[in-house]
Amino acid sequence: NQVLDGLSVPKLGWWMEPNDDIRELRVNAAPFDVYYSFSQRSLDLLKPEGFTVDYLCHSVSPERFYPVSDLPKKYDLCFVGNWSPWREKVIQAALGVTKNIALYGPHWRKKSQLISADLDAIHLGDHVIGADLNALFNSSKVVLNASRIPDSYGLNMRFFEVLATQACFLTDAPPELTRHFEPGQHLMVFDDLMSLQKKLKLLLGESSLRDQLAINGYQYVLKHYTYDHMAQQLLNQYKQIISLGSPNL
């Protein structure tokens, strides 16, 4: 913070993880002229304390996540993420629909209570990144997402990465979702475990629906949520601070 306090230029900060600890948020936001978060909850905690805050979601690089048309749909479903109790319930429900699942993420082997044979069959590794992650999304009929904790805030990077690969996306719904995407138009949303199974059966049974969601989501995310769009938003904010003047300069 001492280094940031000594800079005589506009300073923009971005908190990229959900956090409800106002003490930590306060300390991190203090050096910045504008403090961004992808979690509306974080902004709601900071704003009453006089901080200048704004919402900023994740974005995607189309050079890293993109469609690969000649890859066969090897998996009915894939999921990438750390183990959590809620995610375990989500995967267990998905297994009631299909066993053809690719699961990647740390701590599943140590913490999961799934049947050993099921876990051995679907857990393909702790990590998958880069070109392999792009290929995984392209090789799956449906890509599944679930928050670590139900009712948590903020859209993680999966929303933007998956849609940029032109994959069909099935997810639970953080509060911010509808300010970005339209359920049933760009992606499919499940509300609970029964809804998850119903929506997954529907998507696996109707390839035309999967394809239409995938195309719509792909076109929309490239039009609105690349890093070029994010850079322009930050540049506009920077110019605005310069033009209006900042109390921290």
Side-chain angles (χ1 to χ4, degrees):
N1 283 3
Q2 290 180 344
V3 174
L4 291 171
D5 289 339
L7 297 176
S8 59
V9 295
K11 296 178 284 291
L12 310 179
W14 186 28
W15 187 263
M16 297 183 290
E17 292 291 340
N19 190 343
D20 294 343
D21 186 342
I22 185 57
R23 295 168 298 178
E24 186 176 359
L25 289 169
R26 190 186 296 126
V27 168
N28 283 293
F32 296 98
D33 298 279
V34 181
Y35 200 62
Y36 296 93
S37 177
F38 84 136
S39 166
Q40 186 61 48
R41 173 63 176 163
S42 299
L43 303 180
D44 291 342
L45 290 170
L46 283 169
K47 192 170 184 179
E49 301 209 359
F51 291 99
T52 301
V53 297
D54 202 355
Y55 177 78
L56 184 65
C57 67
H58 286 289
S59 296
V60 67
S61 168
E63 289 73 36
R64 297 196 64 182
F65 292 94
Y66 51 87
V68 183
S69 59
D70 59 347
L71 278 178
K73 299 297 184 183
K74 182 178 179 181
Y75 306 107
D76 286 344
L77 185 73
C78 76
F79 178 84
V80 180
N82 294 334
W83 178 92
S84 76
W86 168 236
R87 287 173 171 175
E88 170 130 336
K89 292 177 181 179
V90 166
I91 294 300
Q92 181 67 70
L95 282 166
V97 177
T98 178
K99 303 288 188 180
N100 185 17
I101 297 175
L103 170 65
Y104 285 87
H107 310 305
W108 286 90
R109 294 287 183 179
K110 291 182 179 180
K111 296 183 177 181
S112 176
Q113 299 299 309
L114 294 173
I115 296 171
S116 296
D118 285 341
L119 186 61
D120 289 342
I122 68 174
H123 189 258
L124 305 184
D126 287 347
H127 303 285
V128 56
I129 61 174
D132 291 335
L133 181 58
N134 187 68
L136 176 66
F137 293 156
N138 275 277
S139 301
S140 302
K141 293 180 181 177
V142 178
V143 180
L144 177 65
N145 182 62
S147 305
R148 290 190 187 183
I149 302 170
D151 303 317
S152 61
Y153 282 73
L155 274 65
N156 61 31
M157 295 180 71
R158 292 286 175 262
F159 286 85
F160 309 95
E161 294 171 346
V162 172
L163 295 179
T165 68
Q166 201 170 309
C168 180
F169 194 44
L170 175 62
T171 182
D172 56 2
E176 297 87 350
L177 185 142
T178 52
R179 69 195 294 174
H180 299 289
F181 303 110
E182 183 178 341
Q185 177 70 19
H186 305 121
L187 42 71
M188 189 73 77
V189 168
F190 66 89
D191 301 313
D192 52 32
L193 299 179
M194 185 177 297
S195 171
L196 164 65
Q197 291 185 321
K198 180 180 178 180
K199 298 290 180 64
L200 181 55
K201 288 177 183 177
L202 175 64
L203 291 172
L204 292 178
E206 296 190 19
S207 60
S208 59
L209 175 61
R210 287 200 314 270
D211 292 344
Q212 192 59 60
L213 285 170
I215 292 170
N216 291 346
Y218 170 72
Q219 292 174 343
Y220 194 79
V221 81
L222 289 192
K223 185 175 180 180
H224 296 282
Y225 296 113
T226 68
Y227 282 112
D228 286 341
H229 296 103
M230 177 189 286
Q232 188 61 55
Q233 180 180 346
L234 293 172
L235 181 60
N236 291 343
Q237 184 73 72
Y238 186 89
K239 290 179 178 178
Q240 183 179 12
I241 295 172
I242 291 290
S243 65
L244 298 176
S246 166
N248 295 337
L249 294 182

